[in-house]
């Protein structure tokens, strides 16, 4: 709960109003990432804003990582509600990620490609979206980021599901399932298994209609 989190913050991280307290931005950073992977969009947004307000204009590795999650989470938050807001935030985050990738291809190219894929998905620019999803998957695999490889597969799966290609969606969800199993996240494995089950029902329905 919010009250429990507040008590936790004070007990572990001391005075959160102290501008010299480096521990608070670490706390906000990890809370934001944990919330994102747990699927808590609003909670993630809350902690991203807190982290950004603490860090300010100081550029660190965590700044670029937070921009990645900020972009993805904002697209999830505003998709179908505020397309302009989606595009604005995604565009800003992509600009930051492009700068980061130019300095560290290994760390950030997969993130840049995934943000670009999600932005293209807003307008169903199919060819560009798929190319960017696949580029993100390939880049994450080369860098050894199995969790982000799984995330790119997951996002591609949801894109195909929205696009109406349930067979392709199933293919990407299966890849995501394998990645999350290797990563060791039972929560994400269970989540993707649920999506696979739902998609398989749709695939079976399509096959039945074709007979």
């Amino acid at each position: 709960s919010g009250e429990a989190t507040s008590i936790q913050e004070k007990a572990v991280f001391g005075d959160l109003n102290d501008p010299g307290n480096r521990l608070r931005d670490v706390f906000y950073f990890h809370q934001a990432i944990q919330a994102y992977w747990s699927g808590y969009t609003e909670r993630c947004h809350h902690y991203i804003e807190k982290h950004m307000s603490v860090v300010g204009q100081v550029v660190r590795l965590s700044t670029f990582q937070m921009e990645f999650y900020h972009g993805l989470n904002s697209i999830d938050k505003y998709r179908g509600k505020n397309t302009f807001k989606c595009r604005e935030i995604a565009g800003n985050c992509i600009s930051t990620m492009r700068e980061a990738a130019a300095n560290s291809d290994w760390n950030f190219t997969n993130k840049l490609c995934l943000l670009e894929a999600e932005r293209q998905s807003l307008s169903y620019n199919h060819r560009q979206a798929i190319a960017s999803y696949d580029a993100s998957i390939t880049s994450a695999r080369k860098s050894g980021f199995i969790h982000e490889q799984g995330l790119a597969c997951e996002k591609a799966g949801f894109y195909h599901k929205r696009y109406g290609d349930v067979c392709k969606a199933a293919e990407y969800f299966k890849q995501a399932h394998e990645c999350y199993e290797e990563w060791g996240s039972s929560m994400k494995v269970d989540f993707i298994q649920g999506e696979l089950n739902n998609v398989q029902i749709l695939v079976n329905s399509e096959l039945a209609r074709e007979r």
Side-chain angles (χ1 to χ4, degrees):
S1 69
E3 183 179 356
T5 302
S6 178
I7 293 172
Q8 182 184 17
E9 290 174 357
K10 292 174 183 176
V12 178
F13 295 94
D15 183 5
L16 297 178
N17 294 314
D18 178 5
N21 185 352
R22 282 290 307 278
L23 292 179
R24 60 179 182 164
D25 63 293
V26 173
F27 177 80
Y28 295 147
F29 175 80
H30 287 288
Q31 286 292 311
I33 292 177
Q34 183 181 48
Y36 180 80
W37 283 99
S38 300
Y40 299 132
T41 307
E42 293 295 339
R43 184 178 177 85
C44 179
H45 181 75
H46 168 75
Y47 279 110
I48 285 172
E49 286 196 329
K50 275 186 169 287
H51 180 267
M52 288 179 167
S53 69
V54 169
V55 173
Q57 299 300 312
V58 179
V59 178
R60 304 170 183 161
L61 177 62
S62 64
T63 305
F64 294 116
Q65 292 172 321
M66 196 88 297
E67 281 293 309
F68 172 59
Y69 287 104
H70 180 42
L72 292 181
N73 192 69
S74 296
I75 290 173
D76 290 341
K77 177 180 169 65
Y78 295 112
R79 186 189 297 276
K81 301 174 186 175
N82 190 334
T83 303
F84 175 79
K85 191 74 171 176
C86 267
R87 292 182 183 285
E88 180 183 32
I89 294 175
N92 291 337
C93 292
I94 285 170
S95 295
T96 300
M97 208 52 51
R98 190 171 286 120
E99 176 187 345
N103 288 287
S104 180
D105 170 73
W106 179 80
N107 265 318
F108 295 108
T109 293
N110 73 295
K111 298 173 178 64
L112 170 62
C113 291
L114 185 52
L115 284 170
E116 288 179 332
E118 286 287 272
R119 181 169 65 170
Q120 294 295 338
S121 78
L122 294 171
S123 302
Y124 287 97
N125 293 327
H126 191 61
R127 185 176 298 177
Q128 296 95 322
I130 295 308
S132 294
Y133 283 125
D134 287 342
S136 179
I137 292 166
T138 300
S139 178
R141 184 188 300 116
K142 287 180 178 178
S143 294
F145 300 152
I146 192 66
H147 61 306
E148 291 178 2
Q149 182 184 338
L151 180 60
C153 292
E154 176 186 336
K155 293 293 188 182
F158 277 116
Y159 170 73
H160 279 291
K161 185 178 178 182
R162 289 192 302 272
Y163 193 75
D165 190 342
V166 290
C167 291
K168 272 291 184 183
E171 289 179 17
Y172 281 104
F173 283 141
K174 285 176 184 176
Q175 292 178 51
H177 192 277
E178 292 172 3
C179 290
Y180 290 145
E181 275 193 323
E182 185 175 340
W183 188 31
S185 173
S186 58
M187 177 190 71
K188 292 300 293 184
V189 168
D190 291 345
F191 173 73
I192 293 297
Q193 186 59 56
E195 289 300 324
L196 274 169
N197 294 342
N198 292 335
V199 167
Q200 192 58 53
I201 292 171
L202 298 174
V203 170
N204 292 341
S205 297
E206 282 195 359
L207 292 174
R209 283 198 300 269
E210 291 173 1
R211 292 185 185 132

